[in-house]
Amino acid sequence: MPGRELKPGRSAVARRQAWEGRIFALPFILGFLAFWLYPMSYSVYLVFQDWDLLSPPSFVGLDNIVELFRDESIGISLGNTSYYTFIGVPLQLVLALALALLLNVKVRGLAIYRTLFYLPAMTPIVASAIVWLQILHPEFGILNSFLRNFGIEPVNWLFDPRAAKPAFILMTLWGVGPQMVIFLAGLQGVPQSLYEAAEIDGASRSQRFLFITIPMISSITFFNLVVGVIASFQVFTTAFIMTRGGPQNATLFLVLYLYRNGFQYFKMGYASAIAWMLFVIIVAFTVIQFRLASRWVYEEGAPA
Amino acid sequence: MNIQLTRRSFLRAAAATLGLGALSACAAPAGAPASGDAGAAMEAVEIAWYEWGDVLDKEIADRSIADFQAENPHIQVRLEQAPGQYYDKLQAALAGGTAADIINNQTWLWQSFSAKGVYQPLDELQARDSYDTPFPAAWDSVYETQTRFRGELYGIPWNMNSMVIFYSKKPFDNMGLDYPTDDWTYEDFVQLTMDLTGEVDGQQQFGYQTNSSYERLACWMRLNGDKEWDQEIEPREALWDTPAIMEFIDFQLYACINEFGVSPTPAMMEGGNNQIDSGNVAMKMEGPWFFPKMACREWSCTEEAMAENYVPFGVAQLPKASNGTRAHMVFGHVLLMNSRTEHPDETWEFLKFAGGEGAQKYVAQSGRQPVTPDFNERLWKPSTIEKWGLENPQPLIDAFESGILHLAGEVDDRYITAEAYGPARDRMVAGDADAFEVVPELNAKIQGLLDEYWASQG
């Protein structure tokens, strides 16, 4: 390139640095290719195959995709997952924001409170599932003991199909620490001058919350919403450990059903079809959220 | 000491380390023979054995391996235990080509793997060595369905157990009732569940602890000789809605919990409460693997734990139906040869050892039943009386005469339970509907699964 000729010495250094860069990046690139791109591509291939893991795959055309529309359990698991997501995620956001507001005031021991609320998120999910099995125990669980104080009859949380999904949603509320921390960061980024100006104009506390805080943290809310919906659609471990999809398929979530097909029924092709259906659903909801975001998410510096 | 490391030398060192690591991965494993070892009379071989992850399984396996290796010093057996998700891990290992040479499976679940060519038929090896130790003629009918599939022998019996009625003596004593004996009838059983239920010293006592899993329900369904399939191996027709079968299902899954209240609900039993080994339930159908639970409330007992928690108990065969017939679940585990093993002869040697007295004596000591009537009489009975305090273990042996297997084939009980039986069972157990309402619908669903399977077979 005219005017950009490198001196011979610098060129060698640059080449060496480029190689070093490639070598340092190699572990990630290899990992990405081997453990991400290849399995994903292979699962696309499997959508059109019948494969039991033990004998060679055989081409079945669109059979697995057609089966998605015929399979009654897909409807059940999709319904359960949607219920869990569309009731659970808004509740998570409300609770996380409420906790963040509480922890956004200057009180003694604030760091301790923040740590305590974040701690459940650090608990391994298997351990928390075991703990929740005890909490939700119909006879000796502390949740029913607590409810008895208010004259509420014990609930068969994980044995009653009407109570099982609410129980799972309740569990997710225990782990809102990360969302709370993100909200907290957002709240601390709201300029104090806005509140002062509003106060001078006579805005009440609730008006300041509704017309300053909520819009100013809307991008944070949006982030938590998108991430929450994605994570919620992928719920698996807790149901796998605690209920195995029961009672009466009330906690048969989509990923659990995918797992059953792949690793218990030897239907890896159909499991891949379910996986890609889930991917399409998640992408669709994410795109919809991004499309709607322009109506309610405030971004500083964006054109009005 | 301050070591100055340039970026270039760091990269060189890293590359050298990676290279050495890769080379060492290609090296022969420790213990493997050096090639061309002309001095060795027999080449040392290592085979792997895939086993369940319980402490008890490990004890039996370790002792058996030690004795086998003493007899066969050129064969090393490496134990691979899976503490959970046993079949999922097996499937992944088979798919990855890393599965063990010897594989333990339950006697009703290996058939779906065999159908895919995973296991090696053993007929030729059996005929070659005239090996019939673990195939007693008296138990032919039991072994035919549990060791053979589509006309070929695959499984060497490892343990074979019957399920009978375990009774805890205290609830009977509380109510002043006699313990059950082998000549009791189904009507006696139902009446006893009611007579044994009630409050004792302010605590609720239950007559019976039902178990809703299908593989434990089948013997009740077949008590009077009816069967819920046209054949239990690869069935084509579901017959669950036969009136007598529905009657038996109704008591086990609906009435005993929701109508008569003689069995605790699953919620009451959660966490080990209100179960036969907790002392306030009188009867439960179980197998010999349950001895430690009665003896110490754990799956493996110490003497201290037994001294503290022992529940005096006895066993009786299942009651007879009104026509005088009865049925018992009789099943266990078989050891199978991976069809991709590189050491079929050594694997076969171990399989033969496992089915013989050398290993079966350890099975017997664990409480589980060994694989022949003779081993049961000589090895298992005395040790059971002495170790577990069971005065009369004979019903567990006699139960083999009416032994049944519930279902085997590519459509297995895991599939039936997940896709059809499980949700229907939950409805009955929860008291939402009785068997007469649920089972016809369930039968249609199961038939649909069978039809779908057979259609896929062309």
Side-chain angles (χ1 to χ4, degrees):
Chain A
M1 191 187 292
R4 280 223 50 203
E5 282 179 26
L6 293 170
K7 291 175 186 173
R10 286 202 57 184
S11 174
V13 170
R15 274 203 301 274
R16 198 188 71 207
Q17 285 178 339
W19 272 110
E20 286 173 2
R22 286 181 196 122
I23 289 169
F24 277 115
L26 200 58
F28 167 75
I29 292 167
L30 289 178
F32 172 78
L33 292 173
F35 300 118
W36 193 355
L37 193 64
Y38 172 70
M40 275 184 74
S41 313
Y42 196 69
S43 74
V44 175
Y45 163 75
L46 286 179
V47 169
F48 307 100
Q49 308 290 322
D50 179 17
W51 188 41
D52 59 17
L53 275 172
L54 307 171
S55 38
S58 60
F59 182 71
V60 292
L62 297 175
D63 284 5
N64 286 327
I65 295 170
V66 172
E67 182 62 18
L68 290 175
F69 296 95
R70 288 178 37 213
D71 186 351
E72 195 184 309
S73 297
I74 287 287
I76 293 169
S77 56
L78 200 52
N80 288 337
T81 312
S82 303
Y83 178 109
Y84 176 78
T85 300
F86 296 122
I87 294 181
V89 172
L91 287 175
Q92 287 168 30
L93 293 182
V94 169
L95 182 66
L97 178 58
L99 288 173
L101 288 167
L102 281 174
L103 297 178
N104 195 34
V105 292
K106 290 188 174 65
V107 290
R108 280 184 68 181
L110 193 60
I112 294 170
Y113 292 127
R114 286 177 183 172
T115 309
L116 284 177
F117 282 116
Y118 194 80
L119 262 183
M122 305 289 288
T123 313
I125 196 153
V126 176
S128 69
I130 303 289
V131 169
W132 274 94
L133 275 175
Q134 302 300 318
I135 293 172
L136 298 170
H137 191 289
E139 203 171 343
F140 305 110
I142 55 168
L143 185 57
N144 276 349
S145 299
F146 176 74
L147 293 176
R148 266 189 217 110
N149 295 331
F150 301 97
I152 299 171
E153 285 292 305
V155 180
N156 277 337
W157 290 104
L158 299 176
F159 296 92
D160 183 342
R162 290 158 299 185
K165 276 191 289 286
F168 273 75
I169 290 170
L170 199 62
M171 276 177 60
T172 63
L173 299 183
W174 193 57
V176 295
Q179 288 146 301
M180 177 202 75
V181 167
I182 294 167
F183 270 127
L184 197 53
L187 289 173
Q188 290 175 352
V190 180
Q192 207 55 34
S193 57
L194 292 177
Y195 291 116
E196 288 163 5
E199 209 171 343
I200 291 166
D201 286 347
S204 66
R205 188 181 285 253
S206 57
Q207 283 172 322
R208 275 177 278 161
F209 176 70
L210 279 175
F211 300 115
I212 297 175
T213 307
I214 294 287
M216 290 301 288
I217 62 163
S218 57
S219 57
I220 300 290
T221 310
F222 177 66
F223 173 80
N224 274 335
L225 178 65
V226 170
V227 172
V229 167
I230 292 171
S232 225
F233 264 108
Q234 296 178 49
V235 58
F236 169 73
T237 313
T238 42
F240 183 67
I241 293 169
M242 295 172 71
T243 55
R244 301 264 162 168
Q248 296 177 44
N249 281 338
T251 59
L252 180 65
F253 298 115
L254 212 47
V255 179
L256 185 59
Y257 188 55
L258 182 162
Y259 176 85
R260 268 190 196 173
N261 273 282
F263 290 94
Q264 289 178 358
Y265 306 164
F266 303 96
K267 294 179 179 173
M268 204 45 90
Y270 187 48
S272 298
I274 298 173
W276 279 100
M277 182 190 77
L278 178 62
F279 177 77
V280 169
I281 290 170
I282 289 175
V283 167
F285 274 109
T286 309
V287 168
I288 291 169
Q289 288 176 86
F290 270 91
R291 286 275 166 86
L292 295 176
S294 59
R295 298 186 187 179
W296 64 276
V297 176
Y298 167 75
E299 284 180 58
E300 216 166 344
Chain B
M1 189 171 63
N2 186 16
I3 298 172
Q4 294 283 329
L5 193 64
T6 65
R7 208 163 24 168
R8 178 175 290 183
S9 52
F10 166 74
L11 284 171
R12 280 179 183 153
T17 309
L18 280 173
L20 281 172
L23 281 174
S24 65
C26 299
S35 61
D37 186 0
M42 295 179 95
E43 195 178 358
V45 162
E46 183 183 87
I47 54 176
W49 176 12
Y50 185 64
E51 254 296 333
W52 296 81
D54 298 348
V55 176
L56 206 56
D57 291 311
K58 182 167 168 51
E59 274 177 30
I60 303 167
D62 282 346
R63 290 177 184 180
S64 303
I65 289 171
D67 286 4
F68 174 75
Q69 289 181 169
E71 280 180 27
N72 301 273
H74 66 293
I75 306 174
Q76 295 294 304
V77 182
R78 188 181 74 248
L79 186 65
E80 293 177 358
Q81 285 193 286
Q85 304 310 309
Y86 188 82
Y87 289 101
D88 303 355
K89 286 172 184 164
L90 172 60
Q91 193 174 347
L94 288 165
T98 58
D101 306 273
I102 305 152
I103 296 167
N104 181 329
N105 276 183
Q106 282 152 307
T107 48
W108 64 99
L109 289 176
W110 59 267
Q111 292 84 349
S112 55
F113 289 89
S114 259
K116 295 172 176 64
V118 164
Y119 297 132
Q120 179 67 36
L122 301 172
D123 302 85
E124 280 180 27
L125 291 165
Q126 188 200 23
R128 185 192 72 188
D129 295 354
S130 305
Y131 179 67
D132 57 7
T133 309
F135 300 102
W139 290 357
D140 252 359
S141 61
V142 170
Y143 284 138
E144 175 63 26
T145 53
Q146 308 198 36
T147 62
R148 305 183 74 85
F149 185 58
R150 296 180 183 169
E152 291 184 296
L153 173 72
Y154 288 93
I156 298 297
W158 173 233
N159 57 60
M160 195 59 73
N161 311 282
S162 62
M163 294 189 78
V164 296
I165 295 291
F166 276 53
Y167 59 86
S168 166
K169 291 180 177 175
K170 194 172 163 216
F172 281 85
D173 298 343
N174 287 340
M175 297 297 192
L177 294 167
D178 292 336
Y179 307 139
T181 51
D182 284 350
D183 57 353
W184 64 333
T185 65
Y186 184 70
E187 285 69 33
D188 296 336
F189 161 75
V190 172
Q191 189 59 48
L192 259 181
T193 63
M194 294 178 194
D195 294 344
L196 285 159
T197 300
E199 216 171 272
V200 176
D201 298 332
Q203 199 197 353
Q204 179 65 29
Q205 173 177 301
F206 294 96
Y208 179 57
Q209 181 185 338
T210 192
N211 188 310
S212 62
S213 63
Y214 165 52
E215 79 267 16
R216 293 176 178 223
L217 184 65
C219 55
W220 294 107
M221 293 159 79
R222 297 185 199 175
L223 211 60
N224 72 349
D226 285 344
K227 203 187 279 185
E228 72 279 22
W229 310 106
D230 56 337
Q231 54 193 34
E232 59 267 62
I233 308 300
E234 301 197 280
R236 286 176 180 268
E237 197 180 350
L239 303 165
W240 291 54
D241 55 354
T242 307
I245 289 178
M246 286 198 291
E247 189 81 46
F248 287 122
I249 294 177
D250 192 65
F251 182 80
Q252 292 293 327
L253 298 187
Y254 177 80
C256 77
I257 299 170
N258 302 296
E259 198 175 326
F260 305 123
V262 297
S263 172
T265 64
M268 288 172 180
M269 289 188 270
E270 176 74 5
N273 305 291
N274 297 308
Q275 302 199 16
I276 189 167
D277 53 312
S278 68
N280 63 330
V281 176
M283 296 183 286
K284 187 190 182 196
M285 193 180 79
E286 271 297 351
W289 52 81
F290 205 70
F291 291 157
K293 288 289 274 183
M294 297 303 287
C296 70
R297 302 206 71 192
E298 300 288 342
W299 291 111
S300 178
C301 295
T302 60
E303 278 182 24
E304 297 77 38
M306 274 181 78
E308 202 173 319
N309 296 319
Y310 188 82
V311 175
F313 71 103
V315 295
Q317 290 192 64
L318 259 69
K320 290 178 180 170
S322 52
N323 62 1
T325 64
R326 61 178 152 208
H328 290 92
M329 302 311 306
V330 172
F331 43 37
H333 295 85
V334 285
L335 299 183
L336 303 126
M337 184 189 291
N338 184 346
S339 60
R340 292 166 75 177
T341 179
E342 291 173 4
H343 309 292
D345 290 328
E346 289 78 5
T347 300
W348 173 241
E349 282 307 313
F350 185 81
L351 291 179
K352 282 196 295 182
F353 178 82
E357 186 164 345
Q360 288 296 312
K361 64 176 184 268
Y362 297 125
V363 172
Q365 285 166 15
S366 76
R368 287 178 200 160
Q369 289 179 262
V371 296
T372 71
D374 174 49
F375 291 159
N376 269 270
E377 286 294 335
R378 285 195 297 113
L379 306 175
W380 176 78
K381 229 165 107 176
S383 114
T384 297
I385 292 167
E386 186 194 333
K387 186 169 180 181
W388 306 110
L390 179 60
E391 287 163 18
N392 179 21
Q394 192 60 38
L396 282 148
I397 302 175
D398 294 342
F400 275 68
E401 284 170 26
S402 49
I404 61 154
L405 182 71
H406 54 301
L407 172 69
E410 287 197 273
V411 176
D412 60 23
D413 72 351
R414 295 194 303 169
Y415 186 59
I416 292 289
T417 297
E419 287 297 298
Y421 172 71
R425 169 202 58 199
D426 292 349
R427 283 182 69 197
M428 290 182 268
V429 169
D432 292 347
D434 64 21
F436 305 100
E437 191 179 335
V438 173
V439 174
E441 203 179 300
L442 167 64
N443 192 67
K445 175 100 180 167
I446 292 173
Q447 188 61 56
L449 296 175
L450 293 179
D451 293 344
E452 190 184 359
Y453 168 73
W454 285 110
S456 74
Q457 298 303 298

